[in-house]
């Protein structure tokens, strides 16, 4: 590679610590838009938040549900909104509890192996403490004498 090609490469690369603010802003905006789109519309088998909220509202309102107001729910009665929010909280608590249970179940299943290993590791690491050194005995007896 000749000197002009190297100087061109050096000039194209930003110095350490320099950021292309416009490129970073575009990337951040694209990420935010993608996340909003996924949350709103869902992805794969995961339902989006709008469809989830509509299905819960339909369950709460029953015959009073009006599908023509889809996306314009400004006049929804507060009692119905409170019921949907209560349902959201219950479902979230159940999901978090289930995930915690499943996580804990894995630890419980490995307990027969990990407990003896921990006990064996603890007993081998504390064997040095079973017979105190002369320095330790002298320090302990000096401290007891001073306290009296």
């Amino acid at each position: 590679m000749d000197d002009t090609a190297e100087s061109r490469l050096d000039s194209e690369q930003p110095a350490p610590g320099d950021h292309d603010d416009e490129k970073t802003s575009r990337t951040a905006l694209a990420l935010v838009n993608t996340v909003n789109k996924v949350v709103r519309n869902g992805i794969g088998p995961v339902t989006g938040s709008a469809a989830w909220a509509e299905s819960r509202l339909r369950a709460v309102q029953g015959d009073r549900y009006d599908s023509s107001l889809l996306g314009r729910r400004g006049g929804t009665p507060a009692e119905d909104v409170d019921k949907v929010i209560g349902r959201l909280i219950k479902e979230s608590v159940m999901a978090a509890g289930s995930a915690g249970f499943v996580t804990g179940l894995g630890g419980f299943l490995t307990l027969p192996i990990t407990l003896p290993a921990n006990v064996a590791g603890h007993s081998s690491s504390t064997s040095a403490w079973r017979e105190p050194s002369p320095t330790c005995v002298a320090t302990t007896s000096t401290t007891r004498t001073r306290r009296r």
Side-chain angles (χ1 to χ4, degrees):
M1 197 182 305
D2 61 341
D3 292 335
T4 57
E6 283 183 303
S7 63
R8 250 185 314 172
L9 286 176
D10 290 339
S11 66
E12 291 173 4
Q13 296 177 357
D18 287 350
H19 298 287
D20 184 1
D21 290 338
E22 185 178 335
K23 183 177 179 182
T24 303
S25 296
R26 281 194 315 259
T27 304
L29 184 61
L31 177 64
V32 168
N33 288 336
T34 302
V35 169
N36 283 335
K37 184 178 174 184
V38 168
V39 168
R40 190 178 333 105
N41 301 331
I43 188 168
V46 179
T47 305
S49 60
W52 181 91
E54 286 294 327
S55 71
R56 298 318 183 266
L57 186 61
R58 186 180 311 115
V60 167
Q61 289 183 336
D63 295 336
R64 296 180 294 127
Y65 179 76
D66 185 4
S67 62
S68 67
L69 296 175
L70 187 65
R72 301 177 321 227
R73 296 278 175 205
T76 304
E79 305 86 41
D80 293 347
V81 173
D82 288 343
K83 287 180 183 177
V84 171
I85 291 171
R87 173 108 183 222
L88 165 67
I89 293 169
K90 286 179 185 174
E91 288 181 6
S92 297
V93 168
M94 285 177 35
S98 300
F101 175 77
V102 170
T103 302
L105 187 61
F108 182 72
L109 294 176
T110 61
L111 186 66
I113 296 167
T114 58
L115 187 61
N118 285 338
V119 170
H122 178 69
S123 65
S124 67
S125 67
T126 58
S127 62
W129 294 100
R130 290 186 183 165
E131 298 177 18
S133 66
T135 307
C136 181
V137 172
T139 306
T140 306
S141 60
T142 306
T143 305
R144 287 185 188 159
T145 308
R146 287 183 191 163
R147 288 185 186 169
R148 291 182 185 174

